[in-house]
Amino acid sequence: MFRFEDPIYLYALALIPLLAVLRFLLIRQQKRRLRKFGDRDLVRQLMPDVSRFRPLVKFSLLLTALALLIVMIARPQFGTKINREKRTGIETIIALDISNSMLAEDVAPSRLDRSKMMVENLVDHFTNDKIGLIVFAGDAFIQLPITSDYVSAKMFLSSISPAMIATQGTDIAKAISMASNSFTQQEGVGKAIIVITDGEDHEGGVMEAAADAKDKGMRVYVLGVGSPKGAPIPIGNGDYMKDNTGQTVMTGLNEEMCRQIAQAGGGAYIHVENNSNAQDQLDQELDKLAKKEIESTVYSDYDEQFQAVGILALLLIIIEICILDIKNPLLRNISLFKRGERTAHARLIMFMFISLTSYLLPLTADAQTDRQLVRQGNKQFRAGNYAEAEVSYRKAVEKNPRNAQALYNLGNALLGQRKDSAAAAQFDQAAKLETNPIRKSQAYHNIGVLLQGQKQYGQAIEAYKESLRNNPADDETRYNLELCKRQQKNQQQNQQNQQNQQDQDKNKDDKDKQDQQKDKQDQQKQNQDKKDQQQQQQQKQQMSRENAEQMLNAAMQEEKQTQERMKKAMQQSQRRRLEKNW
């Protein structure tokens, strides 16, 4: 990558056109003075040794040399050096809550933006430390593996938003567990896990995760962002998030849970408000951790290129000194042409020079354009204008599709806009075209980081291996490779467990279906038996009713016969008495 260490001096290049205009005015004034002496052709004959073009050539050489000297003072630099430095510091992993509740605006400008500002200030205070970044909501993943590259940390931090995780919620336990497994294996160095959240834990198990991290020698610090009173969650159109009943959702800081997590993790709880007290308190807590010499990879050194520019400027100055203002009398008679022939020859040479210049100039301009566009994109990228930088880099690629530097920088610009898939494609293209093994290794390293963030561990492992083939001394890539292998193993184990659970659930469902079928059959059998019993009972009842009717009829018949007999008997007795009375 090309840059100027002190670009402020480039403003001095504005002197070049001013000097050219001043030179033009002086020549014009000189011609006016010569006209006062007489006819121009006559005056020219009176000055046979005066050259018309040599002063102009000398002035052009001096002007070019001045421009090169200004560029040299600005210290042009090209290419990067990868240095491995040993520093004394700590290791810190930040777990940042990006759930929807972090969009609440009870702290300015919002809980999430305030948290990102704190992390950026924390990175600015780091000098010899390593930092990593984990984002979490209902799920958690590593946004930036632990590194000493603070520029990358800020770049990844600026792209964080709740849209990165589709599963909403607040799984603090998973974030702490992932952070505790993301440190280096170096012993004796202070390790801190900084959890930035509003404390709305919806999953559970966070106390056990914090205690486990403490047992491993890590400190868990909790930064509580927000107000306990609660605040609504804006959704971007002037309205606020509502629940299923149409009521506005209010989210408040759970300070009690934050204190319990910090106590279980052996750290401290810090309440974040609209001031710098939390930042100062956090810095004091981190200063208490043990510091140890750690090895870091730094990519910020550049090779100075002012020597070549200075040599070229010196050469132009020497040439300017050797050229005389007047014609050399020793070369006056050395000529193969007469005056008219020299004029024609000069015109022919001038025509050929102009033709060649007109042919080469577009080629040179095209050859320089892609580099100029890359420099323009670099300036826009450093200013945080990733979309504008992307446009400049794409124009550079259109000018020169084999410009590996433009492709690599285009990937970084896309990465700054959270276009991970497109960025990975540009890094892959740059790696294929790059001839420098160090820069090729860095391109494959970035591909691995992107794939690892997307949980495509198999492809990430291959990218890290390719990076190490080009730069076997890259310890950070080696660490990411081992971490990625562990994550792949955990993923496979989880998938196997899920498969086993699915098989168990399937067997259980089959068994439940069989039991339900059997219960259904038993129920049908019971219903049939009950139905048969009812039929039998009905039959018995029917038979009993018929018997009762028969018995009743028989009794009634017998009663009727008895009454008839008694009636006859009474009639006979009465007849006798009447006969007797008469």
Side-chain angles (χ1 to χ4, degrees):
M1 183 180 293
F2 181 84
R3 74 169 189 178
F4 289 98
E5 178 65 22
D6 300 316
I8 189 67
Y9 293 107
L10 295 178
Y11 288 108
L13 291 174
L15 294 174
I16 304 301
L18 292 178
L19 292 176
V21 172
L22 182 60
R23 170 70 177 178
F24 173 77
L25 295 177
L26 290 176
I27 293 176
R28 190 173 181 180
Q29 185 179 5
Q30 184 181 14
K31 288 182 178 180
R32 288 177 181 176
R33 292 176 180 176
L34 290 176
R35 290 195 188 98
K36 294 180 180 179
F37 289 98
D39 184 66
R40 184 179 61 179
D41 294 335
L42 180 60
V43 173
R44 187 178 300 166
Q45 292 177 7
L46 296 175
M47 300 183 297
D49 295 333
V50 175
S51 174
R52 297 173 56 189
F53 301 105
R54 292 192 182 201
L56 180 60
V57 172
K58 289 170 65 66
F59 177 76
S60 301
L61 290 175
L62 283 177
L63 213 58
T64 305
L66 177 61
L68 292 175
L69 288 175
I70 294 173
V71 172
M72 184 183 69
I73 295 174
R75 295 179 59 190
Q77 297 175 341
F78 186 79
T80 60
K81 289 182 180 178
I82 298 180
N83 294 334
R84 303 194 179 277
E85 300 179 355
K86 289 187 176 181
R87 303 176 172 181
T88 301
I90 63 174
E91 295 181 1
T92 304
I93 292 183
I94 299 172
L96 180 58
D97 186 356
I98 60 171
S99 59
N100 286 331
S101 60
M102 292 292 287
L103 296 176
E105 299 176 345
D106 45 2
V107 291
S110 69
R111 295 180 183 178
L112 182 58
D113 290 336
R114 182 66 181 174
S115 303
K116 291 162 70 172
M117 290 167 60
M118 282 200 63
V119 175
E120 187 172 354
N121 292 334
L122 182 65
V123 172
D124 290 337
H125 291 167
F126 282 172
T127 54
N128 300 323
D129 310 296
K130 285 189 175 183
I131 188 172
L133 184 60
I134 292 175
V135 293
F136 69 94
D139 196 3
F141 67 89
I142 298 175
Q143 177 75 353
L144 177 68
I146 192 164
T147 180
S148 299
D149 188 357
Y150 303 143
V151 176
S152 298
K154 288 185 177 181
M155 182 184 69
F156 280 103
L157 182 66
S158 63
S159 63
I160 291 176
S161 71
M164 298 177 65
I165 298 181
T167 306
Q168 283 301 311
T170 309
D171 195 349
I172 302 178
K174 186 171 184 180
I176 294 178
S177 300
M178 184 175 293
S180 62
N181 295 324
S182 300
F183 288 99
T184 63
Q185 302 300 320
Q186 188 173 1
E187 298 181 357
V189 62
K191 298 178 181 179
I193 300 175
I194 302 176
V195 181
I196 305 178
T197 180
D198 52 16
E200 288 194 345
D201 183 65
H202 300 161
E203 304 297 335
V206 61
M207 303 302 173
E208 293 78 1
D212 183 63
K214 179 182 178 182
D215 295 338
K216 293 180 180 179
M218 306 162 191
R219 299 282 184 178
V220 179
Y221 299 91
V222 181
L223 302 183
V225 188
S227 171
K229 298 179 181 179
I233 303 174
I235 56 178
N237 57 357
D239 200 1
Y240 296 95
M241 185 176 295
K242 296 180 173 22
D243 56 16
N244 296 330
T245 62
Q247 299 295 324
T248 301
V249 177
M250 298 295 292
T251 172
L253 171 63
N254 190 345
E255 285 194 294
E256 183 61 29
M257 172 174 283
C258 292
R259 289 192 181 93
Q260 293 176 1
I261 297 172
Q263 184 177 1
Y269 166 68
I270 302 173
H271 184 206
V272 179
E273 298 177 326
N274 292 318
N275 51 47
S276 60
N277 294 337
Q279 186 75 54
D280 298 337
Q281 188 176 350
L282 179 61
D283 293 338
Q284 293 175 4
E285 292 291 338
L286 295 179
D287 288 339
K288 299 177 183 178
L289 297 178
K291 294 179 173 59
K292 187 177 179 181
E293 189 177 77
I294 55 180
E295 185 174 335
S296 304
T297 303
V298 182
Y299 299 90
S300 59
D301 289 345
Y302 290 79
D303 289 332
E304 298 284 352
Q305 301 294 330
F306 70 90
Q307 300 92 339
V309 181
I311 292 174
L312 183 58
L314 181 61
L315 182 62
L316 292 178
I317 292 173
I318 293 174
I319 295 175
E320 191 275 337
I321 294 174
C322 293
I323 297 177
L324 301 177
D325 288 330
I326 61 175
K327 297 179 181 179
N328 192 343
L330 299 177
L331 301 177
R332 182 180 302 171
N333 297 325
I334 304 177
S335 177
L336 299 176
F337 305 97
K338 296 181 181 178
R339 176 179 176 83
E341 294 175 346
R342 286 202 303 269
T343 303
H345 184 64
R347 290 177 179 175
L348 178 61
I349 294 176
M350 184 61 68
F351 175 78
M352 293 177 61
F353 177 78
I354 294 175
S355 301
L356 184 62
T357 304
S358 62
Y359 174 76
L360 293 178
L361 189 58
L363 299 180
T364 305
D366 289 339
Q368 294 293 331
T369 299
D370 61 325
R371 293 196 291 271
Q372 292 174 354
L373 289 171
V374 169
R375 289 196 293 271
Q376 179 181 351
N378 294 342
K379 185 183 299 182
Q380 295 165 343
F381 185 88
R382 286 193 292 269
N385 301 324
Y386 303 125
E388 298 178 5
E390 178 189 355
V391 174
S392 299
Y393 293 141
R394 289 193 181 278
K395 289 181 180 179
V397 172
E398 290 178 0
K399 294 290 183 180
N400 185 8
R402 300 190 62 82
N403 190 330
Q405 181 183 355
L407 291 169
Y408 179 81
N409 292 355
L410 176 59
N412 287 327
L414 293 170
L415 193 62
Q417 302 175 70
R418 301 196 300 274
K419 301 177 182 178
D420 295 348
S421 300
Q426 299 301 327
F427 286 139
D428 182 65
Q429 225 174 342
K432 292 178 180 178
L433 295 175
E434 186 60 68
T435 57
N436 187 314
I438 301 299
R439 291 196 290 267
K440 179 179 288 190
S441 171
Q442 193 171 1
Y444 280 116
H445 175 90
N446 290 353
I447 295 173
V449 171
L450 287 173
L451 294 173
Q452 186 177 3
Q454 297 173 358
K455 297 185 179 180
Q456 301 179 17
Y457 300 122
Q459 300 178 18
I461 289 173
E462 294 301 323
Y464 286 138
K465 288 181 178 179
E466 189 65 30
S467 177
L468 289 173
R469 290 189 188 101
N470 290 276
N471 184 17
D474 193 343
D475 292 336
E476 185 174 354
T477 302
R478 185 173 290 104
Y479 168 75
N480 287 1
L481 175 60
E482 296 301 324
L483 177 62
C484 195
K485 288 181 179 178
R486 185 185 304 173
Q487 291 174 335
Q488 184 188 38
K489 185 177 179 181
N490 294 336
Q491 185 186 50
Q492 293 174 351
Q493 186 175 0
N494 292 334
Q495 291 176 353
Q496 184 65 32
N497 294 337
Q498 291 178 359
Q499 184 64 33
N500 295 337
Q501 186 65 31
Q502 290 176 358
D503 294 340
Q504 292 178 1
D505 294 341
K506 185 178 180 181
N507 295 334
K508 185 177 179 180
D509 292 341
D510 294 340
K511 186 176 180 180
D512 292 341
K513 289 181 180 179
Q514 293 177 359
D515 293 341
Q516 290 177 0
Q517 187 69 21
K518 186 176 180 181
D519 293 341
K520 187 176 181 180
Q521 293 176 355
D522 293 341
Q523 186 67 28
Q524 291 177 353
K525 186 177 180 181
Q526 291 177 1
N527 294 335
Q528 186 65 32
D529 293 341
K530 188 175 181 180
K531 186 176 180 181
D532 294 341
Q533 289 177 1
Q534 290 177 354
Q535 290 178 354
Q536 291 177 2
Q537 187 174 3
Q538 289 176 359
Q539 290 177 359
K540 288 181 180 180
Q541 290 177 356
Q542 186 175 3
M543 292 176 63
S544 298
R545 188 180 298 112
E546 290 176 355
N547 293 336
E549 290 178 354
Q550 291 177 0
M551 292 175 64
L552 181 61
N553 291 334
M556 291 176 64
Q557 188 68 26
E558 186 177 358
E559 180 67 23
K560 186 176 180 182
Q561 290 175 0
T562 302
Q563 289 180 0
E564 288 179 355
R565 285 195 300 269
M566 289 178 64
K567 186 177 180 180
K568 288 179 180 181
M570 290 178 66
Q571 288 178 356
Q572 290 177 2
S573 175
Q574 186 177 8
R575 190 179 299 117
R576 289 190 190 100
R577 287 194 299 269
L578 290 174
E579 289 177 353
K580 186 176 179 179
N581 293 332
W582 282 7

